[in-house]
Amino acid sequence: MKLTYRITIFFANLLVIFFCTCQSSYAEEKKVKNFKFTYQDLTSKEVWVTKIDILGDKNISQLKIPSEINGKKVVKLGAKNDPEDDFVESHNIFGIYRSEDDEIIRPKKTIKKVANIKQIVMPSTVTAITPNCFRLVQDGKTINIPRGLTKNILYLCEIKWGKFTISSKNKMYKVSNKFILSKNGKKVYGFAGPGNKLDIPNGVKTIAKEAFVGARIKNISLPKSVNKIETGAFNYIKSARFKISKENIKYGTSNNCIYSKKSGRLVVAASIKDIISIPDQVTCLKEGTSFPGKSIKKIIFPVSLKKIGKYWNSSLLCEKNVELVFKGKKPPEIDATAYLPFSKVYVPKNKKSGYEKAFKRFVDNGDILIHAY
């Protein structure tokens, strides 16, 4: 009798789980003015809006996302299949995506309709958005960040928003002069406004990991207060020029590169016309260096360079025949796990044998070919 009872309870629980799962994954639709919201239940009291369709061409300048649908709070926005680590062909909330095959953004009709939206209003109930939720929308729109939304908002920095605001009740972020900052203003996470000249506010002490990665920026100024630049903060910025306050005691700049005054570490290696000329103040290359620019054709290493550490160029994009020019008569010490790209290496006259010995594993593997100049 007890066994029969337990079996009955077991299968009853399975039915409940099955019913809840089906219910939570079932998509429903709700029309509000000129927009259609596709959603699914997350709980008995909360819903996730997975798609927004624009029904007409008029009166759509403001997209006001409802706080409730059928008596349930709207707490999440974004397409269902939107992985954080893969942007290829991921759809935004309007169904727009970039094709993996030809890089074309589709569908064209939806893109034209979204262009007419000037303001996106998220309700205070929203606490989550997917990484690609508003990706690929046009620049110049207005958007607000509710008090409970703290995850994935940094992906929004890919767009130059006409106006970007964050609720004063948000516990993690605030906005100052279009920069997304920590609540205390000491850490900068990104830039969400129009313009390509950035003057990071004085008082900022830390530039966050990948804060400006891929940003469309031409000029960046760092204040005297900055004393920490995290890994990859300026990766893949096509043609940025860097300036640092002369009063900054931690970092200096030369040849459009940034280096640590205290350790001699190369921090940012920005190119000028596809050439990186590492400053004479640099003594070591370590993991975490930012490499703005899409491709590099030549890197010039100074006499002062003493050591090349592991992963120093993990984010560096080079052409296959990149030239590495070493000015030092004595080759730098190189970590056993460090890597030199497939390269033509140029070294001082009569120092070729010394470099061939120091870089033996690269020479033997056919990774580099050393020439004297």
Side-chain angles (χ1 to χ4, degrees):
M1 185 72 178
K2 288 183 179 180
L3 179 62
T4 303
Y5 175 76
R6 288 175 181 174
I7 292 173
T8 302
I9 293 297
F10 173 76
F11 281 104
N13 287 335
L14 282 181
L15 287 173
V16 170
I17 293 171
F18 176 76
F19 174 76
C20 292
T21 302
C22 292
Q23 185 181 40
S24 64
S25 62
Y26 180 71
E28 298 183 77
E29 298 174 352
K30 176 73 173 181
K31 294 180 181 179
V32 180
K33 293 185 178 180
N34 290 316
F35 299 95
K36 182 176 72 175
F37 299 89
T38 301
Y39 68 96
Q40 67 179 49
D41 290 344
L42 284 176
T43 68
S44 60
K45 297 181 180 181
E46 299 174 329
V47 298
W48 171 8
V49 173
T50 59
K51 179 86 182 297
I52 299 175
D53 290 292
I54 304 169
L55 303 180
D57 296 317
K58 297 180 179 179
N59 300 319
I60 58 171
S61 62
Q62 185 189 67
L63 167 59
K64 191 172 183 179
I65 300 168
S67 60
E68 289 187 359
I69 295 179
N70 292 336
K72 299 176 182 180
K73 288 183 180 181
V74 174
V75 297
K76 185 174 181 179
L77 306 174
K80 287 179 66 176
N81 299 317
D82 185 1
E84 185 172 358
D85 59 349
D86 184 10
F87 288 140
V88 177
E89 298 214 2
S90 292
H91 292 58
N92 70 12
I93 199 166
F94 302 104
I96 298 172
Y97 68 98
R98 188 190 301 275
S99 173
E100 183 179 10
D101 297 327
D102 53 22
E103 295 292 313
I104 295 176
I105 300 174
R106 295 184 172 90
K108 291 184 178 180
K109 288 185 179 180
T110 303
I111 294 169
K112 289 181 179 179
K113 287 184 176 183
V114 173
N116 293 322
I117 296 174
K118 305 303 178 186
Q119 182 182 22
I120 297 172
V121 181
M122 283 192 276
S124 60
T125 53
V126 170
T127 57
I129 60 174
T130 62
N132 287 294
C133 185
F134 296 108
R135 190 168 182 252
L136 300 177
V137 304
Q138 298 85 355
D139 293 339
K141 302 183 190 302
T142 296
I143 195 169
N144 68 294
I145 305 300
R147 61 187 179 186
L149 181 58
T150 58
K151 186 178 180 181
N152 290 334
I153 75 168
L154 302 181
Y155 289 107
L156 299 176
C157 291
E158 291 185 12
I159 302 160
K160 291 181 178 291
W161 299 94
K163 188 176 181 181
F164 188 95
T165 59
I166 297 178
S167 169
S168 60
K169 295 181 180 180
N170 191 294
K171 294 181 179 180
M172 186 172 291
Y173 301 113
K174 71 176 183 179
V175 174
S176 177
N177 197 26
K178 306 166 191 172
F179 288 92
I180 300 177
L181 306 176
S182 59
K183 201 67 177 177
N184 62 8
K186 293 183 179 180
K187 190 169 187 175
V188 60
Y189 292 95
F191 182 73
N196 52 29
K197 182 178 179 181
L198 305 189
D199 293 315
I200 296 175
N202 194 29
V204 168
K205 293 184 178 294
T206 302
I207 299 176
K209 180 181 179 181
E210 299 181 351
F212 301 103
V213 63
R216 291 169 283 171
I217 304 169
K218 288 186 177 180
N219 296 284
I220 305 173
S221 296
L222 279 63
K224 64 180 181 180
S225 57
V226 171
N227 59 25
K228 186 176 182 180
I229 300 174
E230 295 184 349
T231 302
F234 299 104
N235 279 348
Y236 314 132
I237 302 173
K238 188 175 180 180
S239 58
R241 294 296 180 116
F242 290 88
K243 291 183 180 180
I244 299 179
S245 168
K246 293 180 180 179
E247 298 178 54
N248 191 299
I249 61 173
K250 178 70 179 290
Y251 297 111
T253 181
S254 180
N255 301 339
N256 205 32
C257 296
I258 297 175
Y259 59 90
S260 170
K261 292 179 179 180
K262 295 183 178 181
S263 68
R265 179 176 70 90
L266 180 65
V267 180
V268 178
S271 63
I272 299 175
K273 295 182 179 179
D274 297 330
I275 298 174
I276 294 175
S277 183
I278 299 174
D280 294 333
Q281 295 88 342
V282 171
T283 59
C284 58
L285 306 178
K286 294 183 179 180
E287 182 179 5
T289 303
S290 290
F291 289 92
K294 289 191 173 181
S295 65
I296 304 298
K297 294 181 180 179
K298 180 187 289 188
I299 304 175
I300 302 173
F301 300 88
V303 174
S304 58
L305 183 64
K306 304 300 180 186
K307 186 174 182 179
I308 298 177
K310 63 180 181 179
Y311 310 133
W312 70 278
N313 59 344
S314 59
S315 62
L316 176 61
L317 298 178
C318 294
E319 299 295 338
K320 187 174 182 180
N321 295 318
V322 64
E323 294 182 5
L324 304 183
V325 180
F326 288 86
K327 290 187 174 182
K329 292 182 179 180
K330 183 179 179 180
E333 178 187 346
I334 187 165
D335 188 274
T337 59
Y339 174 72
L340 293 178
F342 292 95
S343 313
K344 293 180 180 179
V345 176
Y346 294 88
V347 302
K349 189 176 180 180
N350 299 324
K351 301 300 176 182
K352 182 178 177 181
S353 60
Y355 274 89
E356 285 179 335
K357 184 177 180 180
F359 297 160
K360 185 177 185 300
R361 63 189 171 94
F362 301 108
V363 174
D364 291 348
N365 290 336
D367 292 338
I368 62 175
L369 185 62
I370 298 179
H371 305 270
Y373 62 85

